[in-house]
Amino acid sequence: MSNSRTPTGAEYLATPLQFVKGVGPRRAADLQRAGLTTVEDLLYRFPFRYEDRTRMQPIASLRPGNRAAVMGQIKSTNLATTRRRGFKIFHAIVGDASGAIRCSWMNQAFLADVLAPRSTVVIFGEVRLDSTGLHFLNPEYEIVGEDLAALNMGRIVPFYERTGTVTPNMQRKLVRQVLDGLPPDIPDPLPVELRERLQLTDRRLALEGAHFPSGDDPVEDLNLFKSPAQRRLIFEEFFLYQLGHAWHRHEAGVEAKPHRIAVDDRIRKSAAAVLPFALTPGQRTAIKEIVEDIQRPTPMHRLLQGDVGSGKTIVALLAAVVAMENGLQVAMLAPTEILAKQHYATLARQLASTRFRVDLLTGGTAGTDRHTILAHLERGSTHLVVGTHALVQETVKFHQLGLVVIDEQHRFGVVQRAAMREKGLRPDVLLMTATPIPRTLALTDYSELDVSKIIGMPPGRQPIRTWVKPESRRDEIYQLIRRERAAGRQAYVIYPLVEESLKLDLKSATEMADRLQAEAFPEYRVGVLHGRMKQDAKDAVMQAFMSGAVHVLVSTTVVEVGVDVPNATVMLVEHAERFGLSQLHQLRGRIGRGAWESHCILLYQSPWTDEAHERLQTMASTTDGFAIAERDLELRGPGDFFGTRQSGLPRLRTGDVVRDRDVMEEAHREARALVESGALDPVLTRFVAEDWPARFGLAQVG
Ligand code: ADP
Ligand code: MG
């Protein structure tokens, strides 16, 4: 630290790394790029693994296959050139009191300058035996200088991720230096009561113990990030994160809507009149929760989860009827044009006998139509509008928007969700998703939402059989499609075509459709649908498939979300090994919607990875969307789970929402309890009100 007065604990933690001795602007910039700006950032970046070097092994005791650390002196070195031009091997003989061993590094000629004879080194790696004798091949090495001795050996040693020019060794040294300067009085953001009740390690000790463990914790626990010191710091981070959600949720719940929604017998009758079928018990529970919620004085903020085909649309429609009967407008957002049109068709049909006007607004809505619709919305004479992202645009204004429904909500970003909300006066918001959100992520990203679930499926659904088959069994599959077709059914064939990158060695959907038409199914009508087609063409094909005029629909994943063709009973996924689990689940959800048994065939081509194998086996073994989502999360990690969505997971520096999910649960409980008890102190209140979004990289809340 450069200033003369001893800084307080808080000041010290907030010190930019640039001002730490030995860092300087250049290295500070590197650290900054890796997200490390202050001393605190550095201390909250854990080592990514720990190695037990409490015991150095005598060289004479080494056996082939051991992973071992030895310390010794470099006796001699030699840079050997091989027959392959430019390929060099560096050898060093390292000796201790018990004996000596050869260490060899391939193609790292620079080591000749680094590992000089007579220097003392620690060597770590696997001991090998071949015709040349016992040796280490490409081991990790460290030169043991005077000052470093205590950090790099004879203890559990922390390893850090390399960040730019900042090597793991430099980071280790820097952390040690910063810990040594830490004032005794560093503030602890966790309330005392909580610390005592949960027996959390003191913050200072936790920081020391997470970086330089004392040796009391087994190295296995450290590598699972389950030592008391690590857990305490992870809890601290999760707790502060959850506190923000709990607080914002609490605050939002305080501000009343400018209107009240009420439900009386007349409205109940009106809703019942639009119902084309009896609701399932799961739908009934969900709609009851939603209708109760929208009658409250404060805005609803609810997530409706229901597996594909569970019947979310009708639940949204009933909520819309209640809002419209109360004189409010409703907006329903869908992620794709096809889906928006399908919703529009369904809703317009179901509302045909009512006085409510329904409109459709998408990117494709042109000229005068668009003009008229915008005018109706602004005047309030359109009651329900279904649309795509086009609805979010600024030119779209409402007279009195009271309910926003967002279907397949993970396809929309936080910002778009917020922009829609802005178009009304504190409207109720209903988010819908068919991608079941594992509890871990729900707690992370949506912990401010109330959740309703539709459990169970509408009656009459037939089971879906899932087959995982190699490409070589293609003929059998075509037979199956012919059998289904003979019974009057239809089939989807899906290709993992990535929009622009036609270079991929995959057959393009168009080419495949031509082949299927010409060779496999000359007697059927084969249609094709892909992302690069013009909207009109897409619509025409989809329409033809819905009406049964097209028998086999070859498509890229544009059919993935929402479309409903009950007569389709076959889902053939080509290159299934390339799809993610949730995506496969969505695709499978396109079939099994009618009264017939359906077949989902996952066709794979070698080579496929273990993970792909795992995915397809999971698909074959369960149809439970929640189980699939949990597995998907485990396989892919939280970052990828929602694909390319814009709404972010929080930026976490210490914990990992999947690895540390139990800590997240506890932090969630405790944060909520604290906010609800009203005992949040002024420091924490200021933190959640002012610093919280930036601290976790959340552009906009909720
Ligand atoms: P998702 O939850 O995937 O959006 P949809 O709302 O599209 O599901 O419903 C799937 C199909 O099930 C639709 O054809 C719909 O008409 C039908 N459906 C929904 N609820 C019921 C019900 N209670 N009884 C019979 N059919 C239903
Ligand atoms: Mg749907």
Side-chain angles (χ1 to χ4, degrees):
M1 308 297 116
S2 52
N3 52 341
S4 50
R5 181 179 62 85
T6 318
T8 64
E11 284 166 354
Y12 185 87
L13 288 173
T15 309
L17 286 167
Q18 185 177 352
F19 302 128
V20 170
K21 208 175 112 231
V23 175
R26 173 118 179 250
R27 197 166 292 172
D30 266 340
L31 289 163
Q32 172 103 51
R33 233 168 285 129
L36 306 178
T37 309
T38 63
V39 165
E40 181 171 328
D41 295 337
L42 181 73
L43 291 180
Y44 277 80
R45 166 74 56 89
F46 286 165
F48 74 100
R49 81 186 161 87
Y50 302 81
E51 214 163 78
D52 190 349
R53 294 188 180 170
T54 43
R55 283 172 310 258
M56 294 291 160
Q57 261 177 261
I59 289 173
S61 73
L62 296 178
R63 296 289 171 266
N66 288 359
R67 275 184 77 73
V70 302
M71 184 169 65
Q73 210 184 39
I74 297 184
K75 303 295 182 193
S76 63
T77 64
N78 162 35
L79 186 60
T81 313
T82 60
R83 249 175 296 164
R84 242 172 77 200
R85 215 153 56 91
F87 194 84
K88 293 189 169 141
I89 305 180
F90 177 71
H91 301 288
I93 306 292
V94 174
D96 67 5
S98 72
I101 187 166
R102 180 167 48 88
C103 306
S104 305
W105 287 271
M106 304 304 204
N107 238 2
Q108 299 187 47
F110 68 93
L111 288 179
D113 300 325
V114 178
L115 299 175
R118 279 189 303 284
S119 41
T120 302
V121 290
V122 171
I123 298 292
F124 185 86
E126 189 184 324
V127 181
R128 299 180 172 221
L129 179 67
D130 64 17
S131 58
T132 65
L134 218 52
H135 62 282
F136 284 103
L137 182 64
N138 298 326
E140 291 178 48
Y141 62 89
E142 277 167 28
I143 301 166
V144 181
E146 290 286 300
D147 53 332
L148 275 181
L151 296 188
N152 294 352
M153 58 180 190
R155 57 154 33 258
I156 290 179
V157 178
F159 282 81
Y160 297 87
E161 214 92 59
R162 168 185 289 274
T163 60
T165 61
V166 185
T167 65
N169 272 342
M170 273 146 69
Q171 217 176 130
R172 186 183 303 146
K173 221 171 120 183
L174 192 60
V175 171
R176 183 66 265 166
Q177 179 193 332
V178 158
L179 279 172
D180 286 340
L182 202 58
D185 65 335
I186 61 166
D188 194 326
L190 298 180
V192 181
E193 184 277 327
L194 194 66
R195 248 152 42 200
E196 284 172 359
R197 184 160 44 81
L198 302 181
Q199 301 191 322
L200 299 174
T201 312
D202 165 79
R203 190 182 184 198
R204 212 194 139 85
L205 291 177
L207 287 169
E208 177 72 33
H211 291 282
F212 294 98
S214 64
D216 294 344
D217 306 312
V219 73
E220 294 77 33
D221 283 5
L222 287 160
N223 280 320
L224 292 170
F225 299 85
K226 290 198 186 320
S227 80
Q230 292 163 320
R231 300 285 274 193
R232 132 88 215 203
L233 296 172
I234 293 168
F235 180 85
E236 176 185 323
E237 175 171 60
F238 286 0
F239 179 77
L240 292 176
Y241 174 65
Q242 290 291 345
L243 203 60
H245 272 310
W247 186 82
H248 283 282
R249 176 199 162 90
H250 191 77
E251 291 295 291
V254 174
E255 227 181 324
K257 297 186 274 203
H259 51 262
R260 281 301 293 267
I261 293 180
V263 177
D264 55 22
D265 279 343
R266 182 184 61 83
I267 295 181
R268 253 176 235 117
K269 261 209 201 104
S270 152
V274 305
L275 265 185
F277 35 61
L279 295 178
T280 65
Q283 287 170 320
R284 229 175 296 140
T285 310
I287 189 66
K288 188 158 165 281
E289 286 170 359
I290 293 166
V291 170
E292 264 168 27
D293 207 355
I294 60 181
Q295 293 183 79
R296 295 208 177 94
T298 53
M300 168 172 79
H301 213 171
R302 188 170 282 272
L303 179 67
L304 176 61
Q305 292 195 18
D307 214 337
V308 268
S310 61
K312 293 181 290 296
T313 320
I314 192 73
V315 171
L317 174 66
L318 292 175
V321 168
V322 170
M324 292 187 294
E325 288 287 359
N326 277 272
L328 298 165
Q329 288 173 293
V330 179
M332 181 163 185
L333 264 78
T336 64
E337 191 116 10
I338 289 177
L339 196 55
K341 286 191 171 152
Q342 184 186 292
H343 279 327
Y344 171 72
T346 311
L347 299 180
R349 178 159 34 83
Q350 281 159 352
L351 292 172
S353 61
T354 69
R355 63 194 160 83
F356 301 121
R357 180 189 162 104
V358 186
D359 272 323
L360 173 71
L361 189 75
T362 70
T365 314
T368 46
D369 273 357
R370 184 179 183 78
H371 225 75
T372 316
I373 293 170
L374 289 181
H376 274 294
L377 281 176
E378 194 157 3
R379 223 180 308 133
S381 43
T382 284
H383 305 96
L384 171 65
V385 65
V386 181
T388 54
H389 294 79
L391 272 184
V392 182
Q393 287 161 10
E394 229 170 282
T395 46
V396 183
K397 296 199 178 70
F398 290 84
H399 178 62
Q400 200 173 31
L401 179 62
L403 172 65
V404 175
V405 179
I406 303 185
D407 195 17
E408 309 292 345
Q409 59 79 31
H410 60 281
R411 298 276 179 120
F412 294 89
V414 182
V415 177
Q416 289 162 318
R417 291 188 323 222
M420 264 331 276
R421 251 195 340 254
E422 298 285 292
K423 291 182 187 289
L425 272 170
R426 290 192 276 288
D428 293 305
V429 176
L430 180 65
L431 307 171
M432 306 205 290
T433 183
T435 304
I437 299 169
R439 180 159 169 75
T440 325
L441 283 193
L443 271 186
T444 306
D445 204 17
Y446 300 102
S447 77
E448 83 285 14
L449 297 180
D450 294 304
V451 176
S452 291
K453 283 184 191 166
I454 301 183
I455 295 169
M457 290 284 168
R461 291 283 159 86
Q462 293 299 312
I464 301 176
R465 306 185 60 172
T466 300
W467 318 84
V468 177
K469 297 272 179 193
E471 152 92 4
S472 57
R473 308 281 289 275
R474 182 177 293 282
D475 284 348
E476 277 168 53
I477 309 303
Y478 288 169
Q479 282 303 335
L480 187 148
I481 293 180
R482 282 188 200 103
R483 272 202 308 279
E484 288 295 304
R485 178 61 212 133
R489 306 286 83 79
Q490 291 164 276
Y492 291 102
V493 180
I494 306 292
Y495 285 89
L497 188 68
V498 187
E499 308 287 284
E500 268 76 33
S501 48
L502 292 166
K503 273 186 241 123
L504 287 179
D505 61 332
L506 305 176
K507 303 155 190 125
S508 78
T510 330
E511 196 182 299
M512 209 44 214
D514 291 345
R515 279 249 304 275
L516 280 181
Q517 178 74 82
E519 291 161 26
F521 307 122
E523 67 279 33
Y524 306 150
R525 290 194 49 192
V526 177
V528 63
L529 190 66
H530 59 79
R532 305 172 106 209
M533 282 161 63
K534 288 252 162 55
Q535 193 55 48
D536 291 356
K538 274 194 218 169
D539 289 348
V541 173
M542 204 58 224
Q543 212 50 57
F545 190 62
M546 284 176 178
S547 72
V550 160
H551 309 129
V552 176
L553 181 64
V554 177
S555 171
T556 55
T557 50
V558 285
V559 298
E560 178 193 339
V561 276
V563 292
D564 193 23
V565 182
N567 195 48
T569 55
V570 179
M571 168 60 63
L572 166 57
V573 182
E574 297 269 356
H575 278 292
E577 77 280 359
R578 307 212 176 197
F579 289 83
L581 253 182
S582 292
Q583 215 176 6
L584 289 173
H585 180 64
Q586 290 295 314
L587 287 169
R588 184 166 60 184
R590 297 299 111 225
I591 54 170
R593 297 179 156 240
W596 310 277
E597 186 182 65
S598 292
H599 305 268
C600 174
I601 303 114
L602 306 174
L603 212 56
Y604 63 86
Q605 289 189 20
S606 314
W608 56 336
T609 61
D610 288 351
E611 200 196 302
H613 188 257
E614 184 83 35
R615 282 197 299 269
L616 300 192
Q617 283 313 316
T618 304
M619 284 298 293
S621 64
T622 180
T623 53
D624 176 346
F626 277 89
I628 288 175
E630 289 286 355
R631 195 79 196 94
D632 197 20
L633 178 62
E634 276 170 25
L635 289 173
R636 283 204 283 172
D640 286 342
F641 185 78
F642 288 115
T644 54
R645 74 206 187 101
Q646 304 161 29
S647 75
L649 289 164
R651 195 173 56 219
L652 297 170
R653 55 190 186 185
T654 311
D656 176 309
V657 299
V658 177
R659 183 190 69 204
D660 311 315
R661 58 180 95 184
D662 53 330
V663 184
M664 188 64 96
E665 298 255 357
E666 187 169 44
H668 173 74
R669 256 193 326 272
E670 294 294 344
R672 241 189 204 196
L674 181 62
V675 168
E676 274 157 26
S677 74
L680 204 59
D681 69 29
V683 176
L684 284 177
T685 307
R686 219 186 49 230
F687 167 76
V688 290
E690 291 169 18
D691 307 332
W692 181 78
R695 164 75 169 74
F696 291 101
L698 306 162
Q700 229 154 337
V701 180

